[in-house]
Amino acid sequence: MIIDIALLTRICEAPGAPGFEKEIRKLVLTELEGLADDIRVDNMGNVVALKKGKSSAKKTMVAAHMDEIGFIVTHIDDQGFVRFNPVGGFDPKTLTSQRVIIHGRKDLMGVMGSKPVHLMSPEERNKVVKITDYFIDTGLPQKEVIKVVAVGDFVTRHSPLIELGDCVNVKSLDNRASVFVLIETLRALKKSKRKPAYDFYAVFTVQEEVGLRGAQASAIQIQPDFGFGLDTTIAYDVPGSSPQERCTSLGGGAAIKLMDSSVICDYRMVAFMKATAKRRKIKWQPEILSGGGTDTASLQRMVAGGSITGAVSIPTRHIHQTIESCHKEDLAACINLLAACVCELDQHDWAF
Ligand SMILES: [Zn+2]
């Protein structure tokens, strides 16, 4: 499968901090045209695309969050430096000298500044800079900054997509890689004229990075029988990691989640996903993530009586840092696995 780099670039480069998903939502709605039987946006801003299944007796919901970790402007000082709070969990050590975009009355570029190493005391040099020590330098004086920027404006990272060996490298692969996989899954179903087993709700959720909020609202409305979370996961397959810390490896295939700190995936779903991967000759790897959660938890629990839920995870290096990497073959494996799973749910014995 050829990965549509142009589409992935558009999706990753669109801004959308939690609660400010306007731009990425607009793009998702455009890309979804003609791929589903019904497309709507709920009150909270989740995009819900319904593709009718062979049967409407049950519902399948897949959730991929559209939001990305970002920042919100809290203060502009007398010199025009912009202070901010993070929105979502950032690794502060990766922010030094990074370019960001302040989404004010118009977009304004800035750079994350902190104290130069030359001026740091020996103790300061050995300490990690705190997120509160950073400021955004726009190169403009206060009177110019306040014409464009106000408290409450959101800020995202500026990092264009590059192809890096067999990988792609860009900001926000968490979770735009999944937004891409979900759109490509719908495209693959259309192209191959395969029908989902049951009515298939492809949901592009908001505010995951601050606590799975959009997925909760969406699952409560849809009440799925089957749920799939779709998100990135840690690939710590790098120098200094021990085998038990790796979680997943880049190029190791689609990750089938067993558990993370928010969810224990239904063992029937895990068995179904493994069997589907094997039958379809799709490369896969197991994922157990000791920290962090995803929309999967909302899919499982925000349904009366619960739903039968699992997750497809995309191995990602440098996650929650300023730039992230995914392997193109893993993206293809995730599209193939998700498409096969939603189409073949009716061929499995779901008895406990
Ligand atoms: Zn995520």
Side-chain angles (χ1 to χ4, degrees):
M1 180 190 293
I2 307 285
I3 293 299
D4 184 345
I5 296 292
L7 175 62
L8 184 60
T9 302
R10 287 198 294 282
I11 291 172
C12 290
E13 293 183 2
F20 298 92
E21 295 90 353
K22 192 174 178 178
E23 289 299 318
I24 179 64
R25 178 167 44 245
K26 204 161 78 184
L27 178 69
V28 166
L29 287 168
T30 305
E31 299 295 344
L32 283 174
E33 266 170 42
L35 296 181
D37 297 300
D38 181 56
I39 299 165
R40 61 182 175 82
V41 179
D42 70 14
N43 288 337
M44 209 172 162
N46 299 297
V47 176
V48 183
L50 164 63
K51 188 164 173 69
K52 287 276 185 192
K54 286 177 269 180
S55 160
S56 293
K58 292 182 191 294
K59 293 175 189 167
T60 306
M61 175 174 164
V62 178
H65 71 87
M66 296 187 283
D67 58 312
E68 60 180 317
I69 46 175
F71 314 93
I72 190 163
V73 172
T74 55
H75 178 69
I76 300 151
D77 76 13
D78 295 344
Q79 288 177 276
F81 293 115
V82 176
R83 309 304 287 242
F84 56 87
N85 281 347
V87 187
F90 250 105
D91 179 352
K93 71 176 180 294
T94 67
L95 294 176
T96 301
S97 311
Q98 292 299 322
R99 289 184 185 137
V100 292
I101 307 168
I102 305 172
H103 304 278
R105 294 176 68 177
K106 60 178 187 185
D107 285 356
L108 188 65
M109 291 290 298
V111 65
M112 289 276 188
S114 61
K115 195 173 185 179
V117 71
H118 315 71
L119 303 181
M120 287 181 176
S121 66
E123 298 80 59
E124 282 177 320
R125 283 185 199 192
N126 291 324
K127 271 199 293 194
V128 176
V129 180
K130 293 197 295 289
I131 209 153
T132 46
D133 293 334
Y134 286 98
F135 51 84
I136 301 169
D137 174 9
T138 64
L140 290 170
Q142 190 213 34
K143 73 176 190 341
E144 295 301 323
V145 175
I146 57 175
K147 284 181 191 166
V148 183
V149 180
V151 170
D153 288 343
F154 75 97
V155 180
T156 58
R157 295 159 288 173
H158 172 74
S159 118
L161 183 144
I162 59 164
E163 291 186 64
L164 195 69
D166 299 324
C167 301
V168 287
N169 178 260
V170 60
K171 76 164 179 80
S172 311
L173 278 165
D174 177 8
N175 189 33
R176 304 301 175 68
S178 301
V179 169
F180 172 78
V181 165
L182 191 47
I183 291 172
E184 286 292 57
T185 299
L186 287 164
R187 265 198 195 173
L189 294 183
K190 186 180 176 180
K191 206 169 150 201
S192 63
K193 297 195 171 65
R194 273 181 294 171
K195 269 206 154 195
Y198 304 111
D199 285 357
F200 167 30
Y201 293 80
V203 184
F204 301 83
T205 62
V206 296
Q207 300 190 34
E208 189 271 354
E209 293 290 359
V210 287
L212 326 179
R213 297 178 191 173
Q216 288 185 18
S218 191
I220 287 168
Q221 183 165 57
I222 293 167
Q223 294 285 294
D225 299 277
F226 298 102
F228 293 91
L230 182 55
D231 207 329
T232 50
T233 191
I234 306 252
Y236 188 47
D237 55 336
V238 293
S241 70
S242 48
Q244 70 273 19
E245 285 179 309
R246 280 175 199 160
C247 187
T248 63
S249 297
L250 240 56
I256 295 176
K257 188 186 286 292
L258 307 183
M259 67 175 291
D260 61 32
S261 62
S262 68
V263 73
I264 296 171
C265 292
D266 192 298
Y267 62 77
R268 296 166 294 174
M269 180 57 92
V270 171
F272 165 70
M273 292 172 75
K274 287 182 188 175
T276 305
K278 195 174 168 201
R279 198 165 56 243
R280 296 280 165 196
K281 298 188 172 53
I282 298 163
K283 199 170 176 188
W284 69 277
Q285 53 188 321
E287 178 216 357
I288 294 180
L289 180 62
S290 47
T294 66
D295 281 346
T296 317
S298 298
L299 287 175
Q300 188 180 53
R301 284 182 287 180
M302 294 296 134
V303 178
S307 73
I308 302 177
T309 289
V312 176
S313 299
I314 306 168
T316 307
R317 278 188 198 151
H318 324 302
I319 201 164
H320 281 215
Q321 302 186 2
T322 45
I323 45 169
E324 302 168 331
S325 286
C326 290
H327 197 291
K328 286 186 256 184
E329 283 176 16
D330 294 339
L331 294 173
C334 289
I335 295 164
N336 290 335
L337 180 60
L338 189 62
C341 284
V342 296
C343 291
E344 294 166 21
L345 280 164
D346 54 349
Q347 293 164 33
H348 191 73
D349 177 6
W350 292 101
F352 274 111

